[in-house]
Amino acid sequence: MLRANRKNGIIKFMETKINKIDRNQIDEELIQEAGVILKEGGLVAFPTETVYGLGANALDEEAAKKTYAAKGRPSDNPLIVHIADLEDLDEIVESVPQEAILLAQQFWPGPLTMIFQKSSIVPYGTTGGLETVAVRMPKDPIALKLILAAGGYVSAPSANTSGRPSPTDAKHVWNDLNGKIDMILDGGNVEIGLESTILDMTVTPPMILRPGAITEEMLEEVIGTVSVDKSIMGEDTNSPPKAPGMKYRHYAPKANLMIVEGDLKEQIFAIRQIAYERSREGKQVGIIATEETVGFYTKGIIKNIGSRENEKTIARNLYRVLREFDEEDVSEIYSELFAVSGIGSAIMNRLEKAAGHSRILAHDIVKKQRYRRIVFVSDSDTCRGPIAAQILKQKDLRQEYWIDSKGLVVLFSEPINQKAEAVMKSNQLSLEGYTSKPLVPKDLNPDTLILAMEQNQKDKMLSEYANQDGIYLENIYTLNEFVNDDLVLPDPYGQPLTAYGECYEKINILIDKLVTILNSFTEGEV
């Protein structure tokens, strides 16, 4: 792609070069070429350990203007100056507190940005008009070599269109900035995936303005007490931003993103129900899930963002997942909530920004649901119960349920009865691969509707589980009783195929009545 610029009646075109570069065997000539571009006022995107940065000469006012123009970034949003040598810090700040020296010794090179009073050589274009300057020393070897080749001072906001998810891969940069910048150094995927922690050293105690991989606990181990800016938690402030990402909506995908709040179980139920209702409306939603929860969702486009056991994987994948949704035809995106301690604080900060602080209370959705799960109970779980469950799954329900079947006498798993499967296939359904499962005490809970196929099965459950702690018996019915129909459901076992067909038809009649009752429970759309 070529970008046209008109100046004095002459049209100039910019072609963005993209060059692969290996961290383990850095091409020095390529680094020098990129360094010359920066020295001459051009723009080069390059990898850091956090995200890809859009590099410019930090001491060049005109280069700063180009940066803002390429990103479409508000000019009062300050840029971070990247250095590669600690001694270079003295040139761009008025003074370096002892606490900052201790932090630099511990965390530089690394994902920590510190804010100081700027010296006169740093232009206001770089600082967003502020008297302070944000500085960090990145860890990535490509970044460090490029900074040195460019003269030692490189301003580098994230290399994306302002407001979009930050780039963790060179293709993200290309998608946003091709034709707007001179060069992209493609070093592959980044290590961390979230921007650096920003710590304001001009106040006492030092204040975290943006959480990142260097956590509050890690900082306090080195310098003692630090404070946290209220805007991190979504509180609005009218003061000008002292650091990138504080004032404006950031990291946002094209579709509206909403965070679902509540305990994890309620979050899953709520997101399932929303996705189910949207699918009934012909809409596709996106779902941000984890390794631990991804299997619970059945509707929508589901993205596994990483493991709750290792939140670094969530941080690394967050922006990638948000960008992937831009390539999907989703109308809305719903995300689970994550912990707000450690790096989880940084994850939630970025999610909150991407969602524009839009949250949905899971309880407001799940409280409408009388039941969340329906279990059909028979003796062996090889015929009537599985048939009923499979028929119900095909019906038009206003609410999504976990629908299952269990048996009271299941000593070992057995496949579905062959004649039952033949009848199912004749009705364009199938239970192929299904195996019987025993009813267990945890199935009897306030969220689950238990529907026995015969009265003696209901009686057996009530008798066997009576007076047992943690067992809920109020939701146990026969299917006939629940739908108020005395249609008999004889066990066709050992009978001709026609008996299985007649049983299927009777079950279908009762399931239709069950659907009417279940749909009457729904108080309205989410």
Side-chain angles (χ1 to χ4, degrees):
M1 175 180 174
L2 298 178
R3 181 174 67 116
N5 290 320
R6 182 179 293 273
K7 186 175 182 180
N8 298 325
I10 301 173
I11 297 178
K12 297 182 178 180
F13 292 91
M14 176 181 291
E15 181 177 3
T16 299
K17 299 178 182 177
I18 183 165
N19 297 284
K20 287 196 174 292
I21 187 165
D22 186 345
R23 290 181 177 86
N24 298 315
Q25 193 173 355
I26 294 178
D27 184 336
E28 296 292 345
E29 289 188 7
L30 181 57
I31 288 292
Q32 291 303 316
E33 180 185 351
V36 169
I37 292 173
L38 294 177
K39 286 180 178 179
E40 294 180 350
L43 304 179
V44 176
F46 61 96
T48 76
E49 74 277 19
T50 57
V51 298
Y52 271 74
L54 178 56
N57 184 346
L59 307 184
D60 183 345
E61 189 98 39
E62 292 303 313
K65 291 179 181 179
K66 290 181 183 179
T67 302
Y68 289 117
K71 285 177 59 68
R73 179 187 178 103
S75 60
D76 68 342
N77 204 359
L79 309 176
I80 294 175
V81 178
H82 290 61
I83 62 174
D85 190 328
L86 186 57
E87 293 183 359
D88 290 338
L89 182 62
D90 291 330
E91 296 296 318
I92 57 174
V93 305
E94 285 191 352
S95 62
V96 182
Q98 181 62 32
E99 290 174 316
I101 294 174
L102 294 175
L103 290 172
Q105 290 172 343
Q106 182 70 28
F107 299 117
W108 278 6
L112 173 65
T113 294
M114 290 186 278
I115 294 178
F116 307 93
Q117 294 295 327
K118 79 178 190 70
S119 72
S120 60
I121 69 169
V122 182
Y124 288 111
T126 297
T127 67
L130 300 177
E131 296 294 339
T132 55
V133 59
V135 187
R136 98 169 177 103
M137 185 187 298
K139 184 180 179 182
D140 191 288
I142 297 171
L144 290 172
K145 283 186 173 291
L146 176 62
I147 293 165
L148 292 174
Y153 302 104
V154 174
S155 60
S158 54
N160 58 297
T161 301
S162 187
R164 298 270 289 118
S166 297
T168 57
D169 185 279
K171 70 178 181 181
H172 300 159
V173 183
W174 179 265
N175 290 340
D176 280 11
L177 300 180
N178 179 30
K180 300 178 181 179
I181 64 177
D182 299 277
M183 180 184 287
I184 301 170
L185 294 177
D186 180 0
N189 293 325
V190 301
E191 176 188 350
I192 296 174
L194 294 179
E195 297 85 353
S196 61
T197 303
I198 297 181
L199 187 66
D200 187 355
M201 302 302 299
T202 68
V203 296
T204 304
M207 178 181 289
I208 297 174
L209 303 184
R210 183 177 71 188
I214 306 300
T215 66
E216 179 181 356
E217 294 76 15
M218 294 165 67
L219 295 169
E220 289 187 336
E221 285 183 4
V222 179
I223 62 171
T225 301
V226 299
S227 60
V228 180
D229 188 87
K230 291 181 179 180
S231 67
I232 287 176
M233 303 308 296
E235 297 182 28
D236 292 330
T237 62
N238 294 319
S239 58
K242 294 189 71 175
M246 290 184 66
K247 180 177 179 182
Y248 302 99
R249 185 169 182 240
H250 273 62
Y251 325 118
K254 295 175 183 177
N256 288 333
L257 169 65
M258 284 156 279
I259 301 168
V260 180
E261 181 179 357
D263 67 54
L264 184 57
K265 183 178 179 181
E266 285 194 331
Q267 292 174 44
I268 294 168
F269 276 120
I271 294 173
R272 275 176 59 106
Q273 178 61 16
I274 293 170
Y276 181 76
E277 292 197 6
R278 296 296 183 265
S279 70
R280 293 180 74 242
E281 298 168 357
K283 298 178 181 178
Q284 185 81 281
V285 303
I287 297 173
I288 297 177
T290 61
E291 286 182 13
E292 294 83 356
T293 63
V294 67
F296 291 114
Y297 299 107
T298 57
K299 303 290 183 181
I301 296 176
I302 306 151
K303 303 284 187 183
N304 180 352
I305 197 173
S307 172
R308 291 177 179 273
E309 296 297 316
N310 182 5
E311 288 189 323
K312 290 182 179 180
T313 61
I314 296 175
R316 189 177 303 124
N317 293 325
L318 174 60
Y319 292 143
R320 174 187 60 79
V321 164
L322 292 179
R323 282 182 172 268
E324 284 179 359
F325 276 126
D326 286 347
E327 301 172 6
E328 310 279 3
D329 186 21
V330 296
S331 56
E332 301 161 344
I333 303 169
Y334 296 89
S335 176
E336 297 172 0
L337 193 69
F338 302 104
V340 292
S341 59
I343 198 169
S345 175
I347 294 167
M348 284 308 304
N349 170 262
R350 305 315 193 271
L351 266 179
E352 291 275 14
K353 289 282 188 180
H357 303 288
S358 176
R359 289 197 180 196
I360 294 174
L361 295 179
H363 181 70
D364 289 346
I365 296 171
V366 300
K367 71 180 181 181
K368 301 177 181 180
Q369 303 173 340
R370 184 173 300 189
Y371 307 110
R372 300 174 183 173
R373 188 172 178 229
I374 299 171
V375 177
F376 294 92
V377 175
S378 58
D379 288 331
S380 63
D381 192 38
T382 58
C383 182
R384 289 177 296 174
I387 288 175
Q390 192 65 16
I391 291 175
L392 182 58
K393 289 177 182 179
Q394 313 308 313
K395 299 296 184 178
D396 185 19
L397 294 165
R398 293 185 67 185
Q399 174 185 318
E400 186 178 36
Y401 301 89
W402 268 289
I403 301 171
D404 205 350
S405 68
K406 296 291 183 76
L408 294 176
V409 187
V410 180
L411 300 179
F412 53 88
S413 293
E414 294 184 76
I416 193 73
N417 182 287
Q418 291 183 353
K419 291 180 181 178
E421 173 63 2
V423 169
M424 292 291 283
K425 287 185 175 179
S426 70
N427 287 278
Q428 288 74 54
L429 297 175
S430 178
L431 284 165
E432 185 177 353
Y434 181 84
T435 57
S436 58
K437 303 180 292 294
L439 185 76
V440 295
K442 69 178 182 180
D443 291 323
L444 306 177
N445 62 71
D447 293 333
T448 303
L449 173 63
I450 303 291
L451 296 175
M453 309 310 292
E454 294 179 4
Q455 182 66 42
N456 68 336
Q457 295 159 355
K458 173 186 173 181
D459 294 340
K460 183 175 181 179
M461 285 184 281
L462 293 175
S463 173
E464 182 174 338
Y465 293 108
N467 302 320
Q468 290 192 26
D469 292 339
I471 301 297
Y472 190 81
L473 303 178
E474 301 299 318
N475 290 347
I476 300 177
Y477 304 85
T478 67
L479 176 56
N480 297 81
E481 175 188 10
F482 193 80
V483 302
N484 194 26
D485 192 308
D486 58 5
L487 186 65
V488 178
L489 285 177
D491 187 349
Y493 182 76
Q495 301 297 313
L497 185 61
T498 54
Y500 285 85
E502 291 172 2
C503 181
Y504 175 93
E505 294 300 330
K506 290 180 179 180
I507 292 175
N508 194 40
I509 291 170
L510 296 178
I511 294 298
D512 281 338
K513 292 188 175 184
L514 175 61
V515 169
T516 299
I517 293 171
L518 293 174
N519 284 344
S520 72
F521 294 154
T522 307
E523 298 175 359
E525 300 295 340
V526 175

